[in-house]
């Protein structure tokens, strides 16, 4: 297996997807691992692009069939999982795989792949800014936003376990830092 893994984790609303999407445009031979989830699509999300949207029943079948590298119940009743087919074939082909997973999944994947994986934590400037970003994104109900904010403190406590912590205050600075970190890990000048 020749490719490498780049894992991004953060509290919801930190700007992880924004940074990952930027990195995907930077010719780094990166392929995004599309996860499966039992949550419904939000905003303009499309099946097979941001996620494979599964019913709870389909998700359970995937677990029973051994299709997942890892999965977590990230929010009550909401499952998210990394599909083996999204990762291993690509690594064998020499492609680098970029993952957007929760803090627990991120630490588990890092442990499994060890030196072949780089784990990056995107840290928001503070909880109030996280609230502003989640509200500003306009894709979640107030109840969903509260659930995400309630979990943010727990998630922030995981930051020291990651290889690299990037504070996403000014987006331009955070993007540059992410790009430099990944180029260094991939050995690109
Ligand atoms: P996540 O994937 O971590 O849940 P998103 O990438 O969806 O977060 O970002 C949440 C919201 O915050 C989006 O509306 C995004 O445009 C905005 N955002 C991202 N980074 C910044 C930043 N540095 N400053 C202000 N707003 C940001
Ligand atoms: P969202 O609903 O905002 O897209 O994602 C919620 C959380 O689930 C985020 O922390 C995201 O990184 C995480 N997540 C997405 N896919 C996976 C996955 O395959 N595995 C795990 N463990 N978490 C995931």
């Amino acid at each position: 297996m020749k490719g490498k893994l780049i894992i991004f984790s953060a509290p919801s609303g930190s700007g992880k997807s924004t940074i990952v999407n930027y990195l995907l445009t930077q010719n780094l031979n990166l392929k995004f691992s599309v996860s499966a989830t039992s949550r419904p699509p939000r905003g303009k999300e499309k099946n097979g692009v941001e996620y494979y949207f599964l019913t709870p029943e389909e998700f359970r079948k995937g677990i029973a069939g051994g299709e997942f590298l890892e999965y977590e119940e990230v929010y009550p009743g909401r499952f998210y999982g990394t599909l083996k087919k999204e990762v291993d074939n690509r690594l064998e082909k020499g492609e680098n795989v970029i993952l957007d997973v929760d803090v627990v999944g991120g630490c588990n994947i890092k442990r499994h792949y060890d030196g072949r994986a780089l784990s990056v934590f995107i840290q928001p400037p503070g909880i109030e800014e996280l609230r502003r970003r989640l509200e500003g994104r306009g894709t979640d109900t107030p109840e969903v936003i509260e659930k995400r904010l309630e979990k943010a403190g727990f998630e922030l406590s995981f930051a020291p376990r990651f290889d690299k912590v990037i504070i996403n205050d000014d987006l331009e600075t955070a993007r540059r830092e992410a790009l430099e970190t990944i180029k260094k890990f991939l050995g690109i000048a």
Side-chain angles (χ1 to χ4, degrees):
M1 296 214 285
K2 292 166 287 177
K4 292 185 172 180
L5 294 96
I6 296 152
I7 306 159
F8 274 82
S9 300
S12 179
S14 302
K16 182 169 28 94
S17 310
T18 306
I19 293 171
V20 167
N21 286 332
Y22 162 74
L23 292 170
L24 286 166
T25 67
Q26 297 303 299
N27 297 318
L28 300 167
N29 189 24
L30 294 180
K31 291 284 179 309
F32 181 67
S33 165
V34 179
S35 294
T37 182
S38 68
R39 82 152 163 77
R42 78 184 169 216
K44 292 182 181 152
E45 288 179 337
K46 287 202 174 58
N47 189 42
V49 179
E50 289 84 3
Y51 285 105
Y52 297 107
F53 294 99
L54 306 184
T55 61
E57 173 63 12
E58 288 168 333
F59 205 102
R60 270 193 293 276
K61 274 194 188 149
I63 297 171
E67 291 174 27
F68 290 106
L69 195 62
E70 61 80 39
Y71 66 90
E72 296 291 329
E73 185 176 4
V74 179
Y75 305 106
R78 296 288 190 237
F79 287 84
Y80 296 79
T82 307
L83 293 156
K84 288 178 184 166
K85 72 170 170 81
E86 290 286 312
V87 178
D88 287 334
N89 303 341
R90 288 166 169 183
L91 293 178
E92 269 163 42
K93 280 197 277 178
E95 294 172 346
N96 302 310
V97 177
I98 188 162
L99 304 105
D100 171 340
V101 294
D102 87 307
V103 293
V104 176
C107 291
N108 288 338
I109 297 170
K110 168 69 194 183
R111 197 175 315 117
H112 183 76
Y113 289 94
D114 197 27
R116 293 188 54 221
L118 173 78
S119 64
V120 183
F121 188 90
I122 301 297
Q123 188 165 313
I127 301 274
E128 276 316 302
E129 174 61 14
L130 208 51
R131 177 187 296 279
R132 272 193 292 277
R133 288 185 190 173
L134 286 170
E135 287 172 355
R137 189 167 69 185
T139 52
D140 299 288
T141 62
E143 293 74 27
V144 167
I145 290 178
E146 283 317 312
K147 284 212 178 74
R148 287 170 181 246
L149 290 170
E150 275 167 25
K151 198 164 182 193
F154 164 78
E155 292 169 325
L156 286 169
S157 73
F158 277 69
R161 304 187 201 185
F162 282 71
D163 295 328
K164 174 83 182 169
V165 177
I166 294 175
I167 297 173
N168 181 22
D169 187 355
D170 173 60
L171 180 58
E172 197 49 49
T173 309
R175 276 178 174 167
R176 198 179 330 117
E177 203 178 344
L179 182 60
E180 279 166 12
T181 304
I182 281 149
K183 280 187 167 173
K184 195 169 153 205
F185 175 67
L186 296 177
I188 300 169

